Structures are given as C-alpha cells and as structure tokens.
C-alpha cells in the first residue's frame, strides 16, 4: 500500500471542456476527471443538451480540452434525443474535420447510448460497463460516462417510509461508490443529471435544508430543491445548478419611436458546491449548434 | 517543574518539601529522616516514608512512577499543556478548539456537503507542515481520500498561500536579521502529504491496519485525515451489528495510533437525517454507537449566509461556536464584524 506522490503528478486534474468558453471559465477548465459531477435542473433547462455536447467534446484531443476518448451515455428517460445528437454531431464534425479525416468515421460513432430503466438494470449492466471501459481495442478509449438522469431511476420504486428511504440511500452510495471506483481506475469524467422538485415546506422542515453556496435555488420563478435529498447530495463531488428564468427586454424602436418588449429565456449555471471552485455563476444560451455564451 | 513536584505525594507535603528547599531527589536522600522531619515540619513516620520512596525511585533509574506505565495527574497536565496543536488558519476556530486541533486525540468533524470538510482537511494537511520556527509542528500528513474530493490544484493553492504567509511572518520576525531563510516551496508541501485513495470499505480497513507500520517508518507524520470516514460504510451492510463492530475496531485503532505516535487524527463525517422525538433532525452519520468513538466532535453548519463550527463534544473544551470562511487561500476568519465566537 503505497501513497501517491502529489508533487510528481500534474498540478491540476484533467478537465473536459464543455465547448462553451464562458462555462469553461466558470469551471476553471471544465468537468473534472476522476470525479462525479452532478447537474441539477428542471426539465427544459439544458442538462441533456450539455451532456450531449460533453459526449462530443470528449473526442477532442487533450490539447483542445478534450479527453481523446469516447463517451457512454446511460439514459433513463425516454425518448433519447437521437435527432439532436445527430444535429450536434454534424456541426461538431464540420468544426473538427481533422479528427475524423483519416478514419472516415463521424462523431456519433463514438457516443455509445444505453438505456437504463431501473436501479436493478443499472447494476445488471455494470459488469458490461467494466469490460467496456477496460477495452483498449476501440479507437477511442472510454473517457466519459453520463447518467441522465439518476432521479428517473428512483422515481417510482420507493415509498416514503423510513425503511424504504434507508434502502434507497444505501443504493445511492452503492451507485456512487461504483462509478467513483471506475472514475478513479480509468481517470474518467462522470456526469450525472438530477431533477428538481418544488419545495413544499413540510412539518419536518428539512426539505429546505441549505446545501452549498446558494441559500435558495430558483428556476422559472419557483423555489426548487434537488431531488433525492441529503443522502444523494453526499454521494457527488460537485453539484452544478442550471436554472431558467424569463427576462424581459425592452427595446427602443428608432424609426417609429415605439418600444417593443420581448421576453427571452435566460439560462444560468451556478456552482452549488465543489471542492476546487468558488461559488460563481454564468449565463449561457442554447443554439442549433449547441450551448454557447450569450 | 522540579523533581520533587513529580513525586506521588500529597500536595501539602510536597509543598512543604519544596518551600523548605528540597527540590531534587538527591537533596532529600542526603539527609536522615529525623533531620528531614524537623526541617520540613512533618512527622518522623512521614519523613521515613518519603525517604523510602525517594530511594526506591532513585534505585529504579529515576523513573518517577511506582507502577510501570502509570502517570500521576501532574505529569499528565504537564504533557497536555505542552502538546502541540495544529492551527486551522482561522483564529476564531482555533480559539474554540483550545489553540487548534490537538495531537494525541481523535477529532471528528461533520457537516452537510459543501460546508468545507474537505477544505479543512486540506488546510490541516498543509498547516501541520509549518516549521517549528514559525510556531508549527514541522510534521507530515497522511490524507486518506475515500470520496475522491481531494483536488491537487486546490491543495497547491492552499500550499502557495501558506508559503506566502510564512514568508511574511519570517520577514517580519527577522526584520533586523538576514531576510532569506531556507523556505518551504509549495511543491515540497505537496510531497509531504502521503495521499491514499481508497475505493471500498475493505481497502479502507486494510489501509487502517497498515498505518501502524507506515507511521513507524515515517515518524514525522503528525496528522492523519480521513475524508470521509463514512462514505464506504453507508452501503451494503445488511448486518448493522457487523458494521458497528467494524467501525468500533477502526475507531480503536485510530485512538491507539494517536496515542502511540502523538499525532492528531481527524475523521471527516457526513450528516444524515434521524427521526427522533417525532421529527427529522440532522445528525452525524454512522449511528449512536459511533458517537462514542471520538474524543472531540465538531459540527459544521450554516447560519444564514455564514459558515459556523460548533464544539459538540470535548472532554476539556466548553461548548462554543465560531464562524469561518473559505477563501481562495484556504480557511480564514470570517470578515463579519459581529461577535464571531459565541460561548454557550
């Protein structure tokens, strides 16, 4: 049992770029390898968009912020956005032709999609994931695992009784432990998405418990909390929150002197907690080409 | 502390001996019991017992204990007061801890995710290395990472800030003397942290069993940090009694390590919700039986927008809370002007 020599390894952990400069800046490089990062957001905020983009960016060379690797996309929500993946892939291919020129393949070939419909199913496919990660015959070794979303796996199977909640919590730690072990053994980046639930202040008063840099999480004008509670929050290394709000923009129309009002959906990524990042946030938007700065 | 003051005698007799000038064992053994009794104003029988005791002690190579290994309270107080402590870099937190994290103790620190447990762990593994000339221990650290939260770039950031602070301190202290001492570099600080990553509870147990040998070979280790003690024990144990047994054995091993090598053990813990008295409360994880395993217990929590630390359990420290912040340089005092340290 020998300790690692921290002085002799790289002074920063490897990061996976998000493909969006402003988010990369906020995250000091991107999503870290050998770490479990959670993206919490309500539906329609862009978690899946960001995950699709990450799956493609993984194929970038390390010099460009990529991992020179392929991605495994485990999805528990239906349907999987194949069309959007192809759209992003075409755009990615156009921007990075050199990666694929010599091999006559395209970015989609290196994003492996697997559906997971329950917790048991996830544990059933773990051995296959182990084998897949260790497989060195692929052109790109596996470097990113996305689980979209963890909340959907637990949606309907557990009641609200203390014993069921305990069983559920122990499954959280089992999943997290297994993914962290993979991340450590193969230096993978692991990204897990989670949903939010509306905060209903109940008699036990712990649903509003503050976890991280933000006292309150707001999205679409409502106060929300990440799903799966305190137990799951203990299982991830970093938590990012994406929110959506409507911003009213008043524009002056010069010719006729009239002003017009338009409503723009504003998307914001905030760091709730992370061992190496201070609390900060940034704004982004979603275009046909993907996620980029405003 | 004179030799006489370490004798296992009643304090009144000891006081009389010392004020009469009998401060060393040899001075006592050089007189007869009659002379001693008259000089010190005690009975001859008492004087005779004292001489017998002194001769016994002098005979057994100057050891000042009657039973091998036993210590009197004076010795223990003396030792405890001279025990070094590791600063947290936050003076408010240090003051409620009695000066810092104490060596020879197991201290548990728990709190919600994002409150700063890993930050404190990294800060301590850097601060233990502060050289003695700057008021530190000049030791090394063992960091056992069970969760993968340790980021080298963050440790480097904190190490760089520590080196800058030390340079400022030595520059100030040695203003009139030569300015450039041999300084630690941030990379040296990283190399002095023995970092272990464990990915399962079996690895964790194996490592803890191995620590005695490792520390015997690396005697300058002065702090062992486990981040977190909990993670691998919150899954898969169908038999809770077995889990309790394993955890108690581990706690015992840590206590022995702390005492044997005079180092500080810091166990970082998670929080969970516990259903007591009809409502859900926050509690440190691992259950009630675990709460007996540590000497000191510190709970980190949010109070409004400020981070606070609270002494939940300690044999010698009063219950108190203090606020702290986490900056790019590491743990520091919070800048709010309101009273930062509260005694309970």
């Amino acid at each position: 049992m020998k300790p690692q020599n921290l002085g002799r390894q790289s002074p920063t952990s490897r990061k996976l770029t998000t493909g969006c400069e402003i988010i990369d800046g906020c995250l000091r490089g991107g999503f870290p390898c050998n770490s479990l990062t959670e993206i919490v957001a309500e539906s329609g905020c862009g978690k899946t968009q960001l995950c699709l983009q990450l799956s493609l960016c993984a194929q970038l060379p390390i010099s460009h912020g990529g991992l020179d690797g392929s991605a495994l996309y485990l999805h528990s929500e239906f349907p999987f956005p194949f069309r959007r993946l192809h759209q992003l892939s075409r755009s990615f291919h156009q921007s990075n032709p050199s990666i694929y020129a010599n091999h006559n393949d395209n970015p989609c070939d290196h994003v492996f999609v697997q559906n997971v419909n329950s917790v048991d199913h996830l544990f059933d496919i773990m051995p296959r994931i182990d084998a897949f990660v260790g497989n060195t015959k692929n052109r790109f070794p596996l470097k990113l695992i996305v689980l979209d979303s963890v909340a959907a796996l637990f949606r309907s199977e557990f009641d609200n009784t203390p014993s069921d909640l305990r069983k559920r919590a122990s499954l959280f730690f089992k999943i997290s432990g297994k993914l962290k072990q993979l991340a450590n053994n193969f230096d993978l980046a692991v990204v897990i998405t989670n949903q939010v639930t509306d905060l209903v202040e109940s008699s036990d008063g712990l649903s509003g418990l503050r976890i991280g840099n933000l006292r309150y999480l707001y999205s679409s004008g409502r106060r929300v909390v990440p799903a799966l509670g305190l137990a799951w929050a203990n299982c991830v290394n970093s938590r990012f929150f994406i929110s959506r709000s409507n911003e009213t923009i008043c524009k002056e129309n010069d010719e006729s002197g009239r002003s017009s009002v338009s409503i723009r959906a504003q998307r914001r990524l905030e760091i709730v907690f992370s061992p190496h990042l201070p609390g900060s946030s940034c704004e982004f938007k979603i275009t046909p080409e993907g996620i980029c700065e405003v | 502390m004179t030799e006489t003051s370490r004798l296992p005698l009643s304090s009144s007799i000891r006081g009389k001996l010392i004020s009469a000038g009998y401060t060393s064992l040899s001075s006592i053994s050089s007189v007869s019991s009659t002379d001693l009794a008259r000089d010190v104003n005690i009975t001859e029988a008492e004087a005779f017992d004292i001489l017998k005791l002194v001769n016994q002690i002098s005979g057994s190579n100057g050891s000042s204990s009657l039973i091998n290994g036993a210590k009197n309270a004076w010795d223990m107080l003396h030792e405890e007061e001279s025990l070094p402590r590791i600063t947290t870099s936050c003076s408010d937190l240090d003051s409620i801890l009695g000066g810092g994290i104490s060596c020879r103790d197991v201290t548990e620190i728990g709190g919600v995710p994002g409150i700063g447990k890993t930050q404190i762990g990294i800060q301590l593994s850097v601060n233990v290395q502060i050289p003695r000339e700057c008021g530190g221990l000049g030791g090394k650290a063992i960091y056992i990472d069970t969760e993968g939260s340790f980021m080298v770039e963050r440790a480097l950031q904190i190490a760089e800030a520590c080196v800058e602070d030390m340079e400022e301190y030595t520059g100030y202290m040695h203003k009139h003397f030569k300015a450039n001492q041999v300084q630690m570099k941030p990379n040296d600080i990283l190399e002095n942290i023995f970092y272990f990553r464990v990915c399962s509870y079996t690895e964790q147990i194996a490592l803890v069993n191995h620590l005695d040998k490792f520390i015997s070979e690396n005697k300058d280790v002065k702090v062992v940090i486990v981040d977190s003690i909990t993670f691998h024990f919150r899954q898969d144990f169908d038999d809770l009694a077995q889990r309790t047994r394993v955890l108690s054995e581990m706690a015992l091993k840590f206590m022995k390590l702390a005492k044997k090598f005079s180092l500080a053990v810091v166990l970082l813990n998670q929080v969970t919700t516990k259903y007591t008295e009809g409502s859900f409360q926050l509690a440190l994880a691992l259950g009630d039986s675990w709460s007996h395993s540590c000497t000191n217990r510190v709970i980190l929590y949010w109070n409004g927008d400020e981070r606070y630390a609270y002494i939940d359990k300690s044999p010698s420290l009063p219950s108190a809370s203090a606020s702290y912040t986490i900056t790019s340089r590491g743990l520091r005092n919070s800048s709010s002007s309101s009273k930062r340290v509260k005694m309970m």
Side-chain angles (χ1 to χ4, degrees):
Chain A
M1 240 160 284
K2 284 187 66 175
Q4 288 177 31
N5 189 326
L6 297 177
R8 302 239 189 93
Q9 60 187 60
S10 163
T12 59
S13 55
R14 185 149 291 161
K15 306 277 195 320
L16 170 59
T17 175
T18 58
C20 167
E21 243 179 62
I22 194 100
I23 300 183
D24 278 356
C26 200
L27 303 188
R28 307 235 171 132
F31 282 70
C33 287
N34 193 4
S35 188
L36 234 72
T37 309
E38 183 193 19
I39 307 176
V40 176
E42 66 169 325
S43 318
C45 280
K47 338 185 254 301
T48 300
Q49 300 300 306
L50 185 53
C51 289
L52 291 173
Q53 194 149 320
L54 285 170
S55 306
L56 295 170
C57 288
Q59 299 168 37
L60 288 169
I62 293 177
S63 52
H64 285 70
L67 302 177
D68 245 330
S70 58
L72 174 63
Y73 201 112
L74 303 166
H75 72 100
S76 57
E77 303 191 5
F78 292 89
F80 180 79
F82 283 107
R83 230 183 311 170
R84 179 57 167 158
L85 177 59
H86 284 296
Q87 185 184 33
L88 290 174
S89 169
R90 274 195 297 275
S91 160
F92 186 81
H93 198 167
Q94 269 173 354
S95 322
N96 302 283
S98 50
I99 304 177
Y100 308 97
N102 295 336
H103 300 261
N104 207 18
D105 54 3
N106 68 65
C108 275
D109 292 338
H110 306 291
V111 179
F112 300 96
V113 179
Q114 165 73 51
N115 92 287
V116 187
N117 47 41
S118 70
V119 182
D120 287 330
H121 189 192
L122 179 61
F123 287 123
D124 281 344
I125 62 175
M126 272 302 176
R128 280 178 35 209
I129 297 178
D130 274 340
F132 192 61
V133 179
N135 187 343
T136 48
K137 283 189 295 192
N138 295 331
R139 182 191 152 189
F140 282 130
L142 192 70
K143 281 289 168 194
L144 168 69
I145 295 183
V146 174
L147 175 56
D148 180 14
S149 65
V150 66
L153 290 178
F154 290 91
R155 260 291 130 86
S156 49
E157 287 181 27
F158 294 86
D159 302 319
N160 227 9
T161 61
S163 66
D164 256 20
L165 287 176
R166 252 195 313 249
K167 256 188 265 182
R168 198 181 74 151
S170 101
L171 287 173
F172 293 158
F173 283 93
K174 200 166 166 187
I175 293 174
S176 168
K178 183 68 204 166
L179 290 171
K180 283 182 180 181
Q181 189 175 37
L182 279 174
N184 182 249
N185 292 344
F186 297 98
D187 201 26
L188 310 175
V190 180
V191 179
I192 303 185
T193 69
N194 192 7
Q195 291 160 1
V196 295
T197 59
D198 284 317
L199 177 64
V200 178
E201 205 54 74
S202 56
S203 53
D204 56 51
L206 278 179
S207 26
L209 178 69
R210 175 173 177 159
I211 295 178
N213 301 321
L214 304 165
R215 213 208 280 224
Y216 307 113
L217 300 179
Y218 280 101
S219 188
S220 298
R222 292 161 10 244
R223 194 169 157 200
V224 293
V225 290
L228 307 182
L230 176 60
W232 173 251
N234 279 309
C235 292
V236 298
N237 295 117
S238 307
R239 172 175 274 179
F240 303 151
F241 175 63
I242 296 182
S243 60
R244 201 165 70 152
S245 62
N246 289 330
E247 194 193 6
T248 322
I249 307 173
C250 218
K251 277 203 278 259
E252 282 289 323
N253 195 330
D254 312 77
E255 290 127 29
S256 48
R258 279 183 301 210
S259 58
S260 61
V261 172
S262 59
I263 301 181
R264 181 172 67 117
Q266 187 193 52
R267 284 183 172 79
R268 175 166 288 275
L269 181 136
E270 298 182 84
I271 298 179
V272 180
F273 62 80
S274 178
H276 66 297
L277 300 170
S280 62
S281 69
C282 61
E283 213 189 311
F284 65 92
K285 71 177 179 201
I286 306 179
T287 66
E289 288 75 43
I291 290 187
C292 59
E293 46 211 331
V294 174
Chain B
M1 278 292 160
T2 62
E3 281 181 316
T4 314
S5 57
R6 307 178 109 202
L7 286 175
L9 299 167
S10 79
S11 48
S12 61
I13 294 197
R14 198 168 26 208
K16 285 184 182 173
L17 279 171
I18 294 176
S19 46
Y22 289 93
T23 48
S24 68
L25 297 186
S26 46
S27 59
I28 301 176
S29 55
S30 61
V31 291
S32 70
S33 58
T34 332
D35 290 346
L36 186 63
R38 193 186 46 228
D39 233 1
V40 180
N41 197 17
I42 51 178
T43 68
E44 264 221 46
E46 284 167 339
F48 183 74
D49 283 339
I50 293 174
L51 280 175
K52 197 163 102 176
L53 178 66
V54 166
N55 287 327
Q56 217 172 47
I57 288 173
S58 310
S60 62
N61 297 327
S63 149
S64 64
S65 59
L66 290 178
I67 307 166
N68 254 353
K71 279 189 245 196
N72 62 41
W74 276 118
D75 281 346
M76 292 177 72
L77 177 63
H78 181 62
E79 263 175 35
E80 209 174 280
E81 280 169 351
S82 56
L83 262 185
R85 284 166 181 272
I86 309 175
T87 174
T88 58
S89 288
C90 168
S91 58
D92 289 343
L93 189 49
D94 278 352
S95 68
I96 62 167
L97 287 169
I101 298 284
S102 56
C103 290
R104 307 191 98 227
D105 272 351
V106 177
T107 304
E108 183 185 2
I109 304 180
V112 294
I115 195 81
K117 302 185 290 293
T118 300
Q119 305 301 308
I120 293 184
I122 298 179
Q123 186 75 66
L124 292 171
S125 57
V126 167
N127 288 358
V128 73
Q129 301 182 40
I130 294 175
R132 283 183 228 264
E133 305 90 69
C134 298
L137 279 75
K140 297 193 179 164
I142 288 180
Y143 198 103
I144 301 177
D145 187 3
T146 66
E147 301 202 1
S149 291
F150 184 94
M151 305 282 279
V152 190
E153 61 225 68
R154 181 55 173 155
L156 187 60
Q157 220 181 7
I158 294 181
E160 281 165 351
C162 183
V163 166
E164 278 171 26
D165 289 346
M166 281 199 290
E167 272 165 5
E168 209 182 287
Y169 176 81
T170 49
Y172 175 75
M173 295 302 283
H174 297 238
K175 218 166 29 173
H176 304 293
F177 303 90
K178 69 172 183 235
N180 289 324
Q181 310 272 313
V182 175
Q183 283 293 6
M184 290 195 92
K185 298 223 171 39
N187 211 57
D188 298 330
I189 294 184
L190 285 187
E191 289 207 347
N192 288 334
I193 302 176
F194 296 112
Y195 174 83
F196 295 89
R197 175 83 170 91
V198 296
C199 293
S200 69
Y201 81 85
T202 46
E203 275 181 48
Q204 188 169 334
I205 296 173
L207 178 57
V208 175
N209 290 343
H210 176 67
L211 281 180
D212 191 290
K213 177 161 186 279
F214 186 83
I215 301 176
S216 307
E217 293 162 6
N218 293 279
K219 286 256 163 66
D220 37 11
V221 168
K222 284 293 159 200
V223 70
V224 177
I225 297 157
V226 187
D227 178 14
S228 62
I229 187 77
T230 332
F231 181 76
H232 294 300
F233 287 88
R234 291 184 74 182
Q235 51 159 304
D236 260 334
F237 277 87
D238 291 318
D239 181 0
L240 275 186
Q242 187 206 19
R243 190 182 87 155
T244 307
R245 245 191 338 264
V246 170
L247 286 171
S248 313
E249 273 176 29
M250 202 178 343
L252 201 58
K253 288 207 167 73
F254 280 125
M255 290 223 210
K256 285 190 182 156
L257 284 172
K259 298 276 181 242
K260 177 174 173 185
F261 296 104
S262 281
L263 46 80
V265 175
V266 177
L267 306 178
L268 302 177
N269 198 357
Q270 299 173 343
V271 287
T272 178
T273 51
K274 196 163 85 153
Y275 194 75
T276 51
E277 295 165 18
S279 66
F280 282 101
Q281 308 271 347
L282 275 189
L284 291 189
L286 297 179
D288 289 323
S289 49
W290 170 258
S291 59
H292 302 297
S293 305
C294 304
T295 327
N296 303 303
R297 207 167 218 214
V298 179
I299 296 185
L300 309 176
Y301 63 100
W302 285 103
N303 188 346
D305 280 326
E306 297 253 347
R307 290 175 161 89
Y308 273 79
Y310 168 67
I311 307 287
D312 183 54
K313 171 188 173 190
S314 166
S316 54
L317 301 166
S319 283
S321 68
S323 70
Y324 65 95
T325 57
I326 300 177
T327 69
S328 59
R329 300 173 72 81
L331 226 71
R332 294 293 186 272
N333 280 337
S334 86
S335 50
S336 69
S337 53
S338 59
K339 201 153 143 212
R340 302 191 303 238
V341 175
K342 285 201 176 72
M343 306 298 284
M344 302 299 176

